[in-house]
Amino acid sequence: MRKLFIILGIIASVLALVLSVLPLSNLAYFPAIAALLFGLMSFYISNKNSQSVKTVQLVFLLTIIALSISIYKSIFQTVEVGNTEELQVREQQSEEEAIEELEDLDLEELDLE
């Protein structure tokens, strides 16, 4: 049971660390909380059986790093909305081009047999 919680804790903490570096760092909180819970459970079992807690400390370390990065990014990173008018113009132009291409096709000449 201890090994299962340690493995799940390591997986969750690594996932939290990876998500904390990505632009959507707010998603890192969920696996970080899961990693903390798995780490606490494995820590409790390790202390109960008087076993080594080195891998549990690794889980806690990775989780704390992931939470630190996520909190830093949520405080100091500002979200900027770009100019959406340019995107709308591009979309309209590509739609017009697609309509022109479809009108240029001569569907009667194509044999679909």
Side-chain angles (χ1 to χ4, degrees):
M1 196 70 169
R2 175 183 171 266
K3 288 184 181 182
L4 175 69
F5 285 137
I6 289 174
I7 291 171
L8 289 174
I10 290 174
I11 290 171
S13 63
V14 168
L15 181 64
L17 189 62
V18 168
L19 286 174
S20 68
V21 176
L22 295 176
L24 295 174
S25 61
N26 292 337
L27 296 176
Y29 293 117
F30 298 115
I33 292 171
L36 285 176
L37 291 176
F38 290 135
L40 287 173
M41 286 186 263
S42 60
F43 183 74
Y44 175 73
I45 293 172
S46 296
N47 279 342
K48 186 177 176 183
N49 298 334
S50 64
Q51 294 175 335
S52 175
V53 292
K54 293 291 182 184
T55 52
V56 179
Q57 291 174 350
L58 176 68
V59 171
F60 287 135
L61 178 68
L62 290 175
T63 306
I64 290 170
I65 292 171
L67 283 173
S68 301
I69 294 172
S70 295
I71 291 171
Y72 175 81
K73 286 179 79 174
S74 67
I75 292 173
F76 293 110
Q77 188 177 24
T78 59
V79 177
E80 296 179 11
V81 178
N83 190 1
T84 58
E85 292 176 7
E86 294 176 11
L87 294 174
Q88 291 174 351
V89 169
R90 285 185 200 167
E91 182 179 330
Q92 188 176 13
Q93 287 176 351
S94 65
E95 185 178 326
E96 290 172 359
E97 290 173 4
I99 290 173
E100 289 175 6
E101 287 179 12
L102 287 175
E103 289 175 351
D104 290 343
L105 287 178
D106 199 10
L107 296 177
E108 294 174 1
E109 291 181 9
L110 293 176
D111 281 335
L112 299 177
E113 296 177 12

